Amino acid sequence: MRETSGGWDIDHVKAKLAAMAAADPARERFGAASHRYRLNAPVAAAEIGVFERLHDIRLPTAYRTFLTSLGSGGAGPYYGMIDWAEVAAPGGQPYTPGFLATPFPHTGFWNPNTDAANLVPDEEYWHDRWITGSVAIVHFGCGAYVRLAVCGRSAGQVWFDDRVSDGGLRPGPDFRDWYLSWLDETPEFSSAFGFGAADT
């Protein structure tokens, strides 16, 4: 019998990671030297519950069950999933009071810096109000991150935060679909799901 939890086929995930590791023994694929196709130990649901109560939110189910059933971080797109201890750390993300409980403000692509001759000031472009209700879950590299909306109409959806390159915030799919598209190495991942070609 296959082991499942919260919509995740745990056996499938583990088998795919093992196959990816076997196919890339030198860890040459983008980010593989960092995560090495290994998931960290899962985190206790009670620990996540403390975080949720502190911030008055409920993590999207797919991400929550990933953390509690598969791993607290590790193997994943780009440089891998940021470990939960870092995600939850008050110094690691802009968790001012109410930050996570304030809905993520976007439902579509956002970037006021599409005109190089009319760039908005840095303090405006980088203001935390553009990323409320979200957590950084993956380091893409060079200061760009994959964020997960945890509050608002886009809750459960991954977003590419490429403000560091004046690329704005670009929407992706649901977290589970996004992770599985990377895991199964589908063509969709390196296009819309992968936010670009850095993982190919």
Side-chain angles (χ1 to χ4, degrees):
M1 180 179 293
R2 300 185 74 84
E3 185 182 0
T4 61
S5 178
W8 291 97
D9 184 333
I10 296 174
D11 292 333
H12 172 73
V13 172
K14 290 181 177 179
K16 286 296 297 187
L17 289 175
M20 292 168 82
D24 183 22
R27 306 297 185 255
E28 294 177 343
R29 187 180 181 186
F30 181 86
S34 176
H35 61 70
R36 304 185 64 79
Y37 303 107
R38 297 174 184 166
L39 288 168
N40 303 340
V43 63
E47 184 177 334
I48 293 176
V50 170
F51 177 85
E52 292 174 326
R53 289 189 295 275
L54 176 65
H55 295 284
D56 194 25
I57 60 160
R58 173 82 177 180
L59 291 179
T61 299
Y63 181 57
R64 197 179 205 277
T65 54
F66 179 93
L67 295 171
T68 59
S69 302
L70 285 162
S72 61
Y78 314 117
Y79 286 103
M81 300 294 298
I82 297 173
D83 190 77
W84 172 249
E86 185 178 344
V87 172
Q93 308 216 29
Y95 296 151
T96 52
F99 175 84
L100 289 181
T102 300
F104 187 70
H106 314 290
T107 57
F109 175 70
W110 172 87
N111 189 12
N113 277 357
T114 55
D115 181 358
N118 293 289
L119 301 180
V120 301
D122 283 350
E123 60 270 22
E124 170 67 12
Y125 194 59
W126 286 94
H127 199 285
D128 287 346
R129 71 171 173 272
W130 304 123
I131 56 169
T132 57
S134 73
V135 295
I137 58 170
V138 167
H139 184 207
F140 179 85
C142 300
Y145 288 87
V146 175
R147 308 192 68 84
L148 176 68
V150 300
C151 183
R153 288 182 294 170
S154 297
Q157 186 178 21
V158 293
W159 287 71
F160 183 35
D161 184 351
D162 192 29
R163 289 175 295 166
V164 70
S165 298
D166 287 322
L169 293 157
R170 193 185 321 167
D174 168 83
F175 171 74
R176 182 177 174 276
D177 290 343
W178 177 74
Y179 189 86
L180 290 178
S181 71
W182 169 78
L183 191 71
D184 293 331
E185 303 177 271
T186 64
E188 292 86 356
F189 182 81
S190 53
S191 56
F193 284 19
F195 309 116
D199 201 70
T200 60

